[in-house]
Amino acid sequence: PYGRVIARTDHDLTGPSVKVSYASPRILGLRAGASFTPEANTGGLDRDPTRGPDIENASEVALNLSRRLPRSGVRLRAAAGWSEADASNTSLPGVYETVETWSAGGSVEFSSLALGTSWLDSSSGLAGPGGDYTALSTGLRMTFGKVDAGLE
């Protein structure tokens, strides 16, 4: 809750900072969204921007799909996102540059079983290859009456 983690694996470059955004209507389960954030300097419960570089001029684009198959009742979900921003730190000149992040994921949900996976790749804004990281997460959830059990 204090934002003190070594690496972030969610695609959330700008957090709760003020932004201009647009999300399209959902058409056949598909929705698109885009946003622009001039300054990503607002902290939140899981975000502390004072520990990292200054993020400015952030552009974000995403697509998501949520579709229930009528005959089987199976729900399919998928998403993909991209973001890019200028990263800098006045006390560490030359250490940060443009941050770029890509992500994708999907899940399939049956009545008592769900399986999903997500992938994230980010440059972290650090100059050179030293800041690049990739994260992969896979999860399985089973429902037993009113109890859910999961493994990630």
Side-chain angles (χ1 to χ4, degrees):
Y2 297 106
R4 301 188 199 290
V5 295
I6 295 171
R8 293 180 59 91
T9 56
D10 56 334
H11 195 156
D12 184 15
L13 182 62
T14 58
S17 296
V18 174
K19 60 189 66 136
V20 175
S21 63
Y22 173 76
S24 73
R26 193 171 292 281
I27 300 172
L28 298 174
L30 185 64
R31 181 177 218 175
S35 73
F36 177 76
T37 308
E39 292 184 14
N41 57 5
T42 302
L45 287 176
D46 63 346
R47 181 179 174 79
D48 183 5
T50 61
R51 294 181 299 113
D54 295 326
I55 303 292
E56 296 178 336
N57 302 319
S59 299
E60 300 172 289
V61 178
L63 288 172
N64 71 52
L65 175 73
S66 179
R67 189 98 173 134
R68 183 174 297 279
L69 303 177
R71 289 186 179 203
S72 63
V74 173
R75 176 164 301 278
L76 302 174
R77 291 188 174 116
W82 168 85
S83 60
E84 184 177 86
D86 298 327
S88 65
N89 189 321
T90 55
S91 61
L92 299 169
V95 173
Y96 290 97
E97 54 186 25
T98 301
V99 58
E100 184 176 38
T101 304
W102 290 88
S103 65
S107 67
V108 58
E109 186 175 331
F110 302 93
S111 61
S112 62
L113 174 73
L115 175 66
T117 189
S118 64
W119 162 83
L120 178 114
D121 186 75
S122 178
S123 69
S124 295
L126 290 170
D132 295 353
Y133 71 90
T134 300
L136 179 66
S137 176
T138 300
L140 170 72
R141 185 196 77 223
M142 295 186 72
T143 302
F144 304 97
K146 294 184 179 183
V147 176
D148 284 344
L151 178 67
E152 186 168 326

Coordinates of all heavy atoms in Angstrom, one line a residue, residues 92-97 125-128:
L92 N 19.7 13.4 -11.8 CA 20.5 12.4 -12.5 C 20.4 12.7 -14.0 O 19.8 11.9 -14.8 CB 19.9 11.0 -12.2 CG 20.0 10.5 -10.7 CD1 19.2 9.3 -10.5 CD2 21.4 10.3 -10.3
P93 N 21.0 13.7 -14.5 CA 20.9 14.0 -15.9 C 21.5 12.9 -16.8 O 22.6 12.4 -16.5 CB 21.7 15.3 -16.1 CG 22.6 15.5 -14.9 CD 21.9 14.6 -13.8
G94 N 20.9 12.6 -17.9 CA 21.3 11.6 -18.8 C 21.0 10.2 -18.5 O 21.3 9.3 -19.3
V95 N 20.5 9.9 -17.3 CA 20.2 8.6 -16.9 C 18.8 8.1 -17.5 O 18.7 6.9 -17.8 CB 20.1 8.5 -15.3 CG1 19.6 7.1 -14.9 CG2 21.5 8.8 -14.8
Y96 N 17.9 9.0 -17.6 CA 16.6 8.6 -18.1 C 16.3 9.2 -19.5 O 16.9 10.3 -19.9 CB 15.5 9.1 -17.2 CG 15.4 8.4 -15.9 CD1 16.0 8.9 -14.8 CD2 14.8 7.1 -15.8 CE1 16.0 8.2 -13.6 CE2 14.7 6.5 -14.6 CZ 15.4 7.0 -13.5 OH 15.3 6.3 -12.3
E97 N 15.5 8.5 -20.3 CA 15.1 9.0 -21.6 C 13.6 8.6 -21.8 O 12.9 8.7 -20.9 CB 16.0 8.4 -22.7 CG 16.1 6.9 -22.7 CD 17.1 6.3 -23.7 OE1 18.0 7.0 -24.0 OE2 16.9 5.2 -24.0
G125 N 12.4 3.7 -18.9 CA 12.9 5.0 -19.1 C 14.4 5.2 -18.9 O 14.9 6.3 -19.1
L126 N 15.0 4.1 -18.4 CA 16.5 4.2 -18.2 C 17.2 4.2 -19.5 O 16.9 3.4 -20.4 CB 17.0 3.1 -17.3 CG 16.5 3.1 -15.9 CD1 16.9 1.8 -15.2 CD2 17.2 4.3 -15.2
A127 N 18.2 5.0 -19.7 CA 19.0 5.1 -20.9 C 19.8 3.7 -21.0 O 20.3 3.2 -20.1 CB 20.0 6.2 -20.9
G128 N 19.8 3.2 -22.2 CA 20.5 1.9 -22.4 C 19.7 0.7 -22.1 O 18.5 0.9 -21.6

